[in-house]
Amino acid sequence: MAATAKKPKLRNMPFLVKTWRVVDGDTVEAVLDYGKKLYHTQSIRLAGVDAPEVHGSTGALGHTVATAVRGWLGKHEPLVLMSESWDEKYGRLVGDFCQWDFVLGEFVKTEWLTDYLLTAKLVRPYRGEKRQAWTEEELAPIRAFKS
């Protein structure tokens, strides 16, 4: 009988981010530093948020949100990804990014990326339910956003 690999427990695990690339407003591809010179490129779905798609009718607004994500990540390096869960459907981590900061040698979580996006109304809350079309009321803050 062949042994099956156990899935790693990824809940609330911090990973240092070596490099990153924004795919869209709620997905980032990052090279994660597992320590001991072990790195892995992983797709990350931002936890608890939904952004307009970068293709189709919301494409321009989706690119606006992606640009905001890119700006936030660039201003908050060095970064940590705090994983929340594993997305079985798309094979990616679900988590959030914050700045890696030390105070007296301890990790300090500063601002979270998803908090920034939600406060700026660039995304809407999402917890796995069937996604609905974006309303004009939801899109208005994204149209008005200035980076």
Side-chain angles (χ1 to χ4, degrees):
M1 181 173 184
T4 56
K6 281 183 141 183
K7 289 200 187 278
K9 292 182 179 181
L10 298 171
R11 189 161 187 75
N12 297 322
M13 283 190 71
F15 297 98
L16 287 174
V17 177
K18 186 135 177 89
T19 62
W20 51 268
R21 178 182 69 85
V22 174
V23 176
D24 60 28
D26 53 29
T27 307
V28 175
E29 185 178 273
V31 175
L32 303 178
D33 183 345
Y34 289 3
K36 298 189 180 189
K37 298 183 182 178
L38 180 62
Y39 304 99
H40 180 69
T41 301
Q42 182 65 57
S43 180
I44 296 110
R45 171 76 159 85
L46 293 179
V49 299
D50 180 38
E53 297 302 321
V54 295
H55 305 288
S57 62
T58 61
L61 298 174
H63 282 288
T64 298
V65 178
T67 299
V69 170
R70 201 171 292 111
W72 189 95
L73 291 171
K75 289 177 186 169
H76 289 82
E77 291 181 301
L79 295 165
V80 169
L81 167 71
M82 185 65 75
S83 66
E84 185 175 289
S85 62
W86 181 258
D87 178 354
E88 294 285 343
K89 185 174 180 182
Y90 296 104
R92 57 190 174 179
L93 281 175
V94 178
D96 201 355
F97 293 90
C98 66
Q99 188 167 19
W100 179 255
D101 202 1
F102 280 103
V103 174
L104 299 175
E106 292 195 19
F107 170 60
V108 177
K109 295 177 228 174
T110 56
E111 180 182 27
W112 293 99
L113 173 56
T114 57
D115 287 344
Y116 163 73
L117 295 170
L118 286 164
T119 300
K121 297 186 178 182
L122 297 175
V123 296
R124 61 185 174 189
Y126 177 69
R127 289 287 171 207
E129 67 278 6
K130 183 176 175 170
R131 287 184 268 180
Q132 303 296 318
W134 284 78
T135 66
E136 284 304 313
E137 184 178 331
E138 291 172 319
L139 294 173
I142 301 169
R143 282 192 181 94
F145 181 75
K146 304 284 187 245
S147 55

